[in-house]
Structure formats: structure tokens, C-alpha cells
Amino acid sequence: PNLKDVAKFSVEFGEGQMGFSLSSGEGIGVIIGRLAPGSFADLGGCEIGDRLESVNGVEIDMDMPWQRAVEVIKAAGKPVTLQFVRNVH
């Protein structure tokens, strides 16, 4: 995608549930698969399909399975800053 078609944003999560679940697939990276209404993630502007790019500045590879990304997030502790990429077509 062209850079103009991509929006990057970060959300800082404190204590408590983040409010999303992740999924992954070949060539799509780790993406938000489900989002809880009114959750940290929802209020932070996340949308289903947003791709997780980094956790506290540590890059999430396009080939990483979502289970590994969850381990990275848990290992980071709280607060944690997640950077997402959204394709805006």
C-alpha cells in the first residue's frame, strides 16, 4: 500500500482488560479480530482489522502468530503502548 493509504496510531493501555482479541494470517500480520464496545481499545480508536505494528517500540513481525504477539504484550507489563497501522482505502 502507498504510505498515504496507511494511518499509524498508538494506544497506551493501563491496568485492566484491553478489550480486543487478536488474530493473524499469512501476509496480513497480527490484527484486531474482535473489539469490545466501550473498552480501552474501542475508546482508544482501535477498529477491527487494525494491524499491530509494535509493543513498547518492539516490532511485531508480519509473520508472527497472534499467540506470540499476546506473549509479547503480557511480557511488556502495564502500562504498555501498542502501535497500530490502519489501511485507509
Side-chain angles (χ1 to χ4, degrees):
N2 294 327
L3 284 176
K4 67 177 176 46
D5 295 335
V6 171
K8 293 186 180 193
F9 63 98
S10 296
V11 181
E12 183 175 312
F13 293 91
E15 294 302 323
Q17 296 293 317
M18 292 182 175
F20 62 82
S21 61
L22 296 172
S23 84
S24 57
E26 201 169 311
I28 64 167
V30 176
I31 62 167
I32 294 179
R34 287 200 308 254
L35 194 60
S39 65
F40 269 127
D42 185 29
L43 298 175
C46 294
E47 293 180 4
I48 290 173
D50 289 344
R51 182 172 61 83
L52 180 60
E53 186 175 64
S54 68
V55 177
N56 282 352
V58 177
E59 186 180 345
I60 299 298
D61 190 89
M62 286 291 286
D63 298 322
M64 183 182 290
W66 69 266
Q67 296 92 332
R68 178 74 187 110
V70 169
E71 292 171 7
V72 172
I73 293 167
K74 287 181 176 172
K78 299 275 183 78
V80 61
T81 300
L82 306 185
Q83 181 163 319
F84 295 95
V85 176
R86 175 172 303 151
N87 286 324
V88 282
H89 296 298

